[in-house]
Amino acid sequence: MYRISVDSSRCQGHARCMAFAPEAFDFDDEGYAFVPDGLAEAAELPESIRRAEANCPERAVKIEET
């Protein structure tokens, strides 16, 4: 099981996570990324989410194995 999150204190709104994995991320009214309810935990981790984590310039996208 995996837990996907965005560290809001690090996110600068570059939108790279959305470019790589639009199915897993959304943006708030101020342009900062977050993982919508119901999408934060996954049994399998798509490659697109791994790419989103790897390409976040602020390293705000976090993937934890639970």
Side-chain angles (χ1 to χ4, degrees):
M1 194 73 146
Y2 297 92
R3 180 152 185 73
I4 306 151
S5 63
V6 175
D7 182 341
S8 61
S9 68
R10 298 186 83 158
C11 180
Q12 296 295 306
H14 294 288
R16 289 186 139 183
C17 56
M18 186 69 139
F20 285 96
E23 72 280 3
F25 299 94
D26 202 350
F27 290 95
D28 64 18
D29 293 338
E30 295 177 7
Y32 297 105
F34 69 94
V35 179
D37 292 338
L39 298 178
E41 293 187 6
E44 295 182 24
L45 196 63
E47 184 61 29
S48 60
I49 296 174
R50 290 188 191 278
R51 284 195 306 262
E53 178 191 39
N55 285 280
C56 177
E58 308 301 336
R59 301 291 179 234
V61 176
K62 304 289 181 196
I63 299 171
E64 298 174 278
E65 198 166 349
T66 58

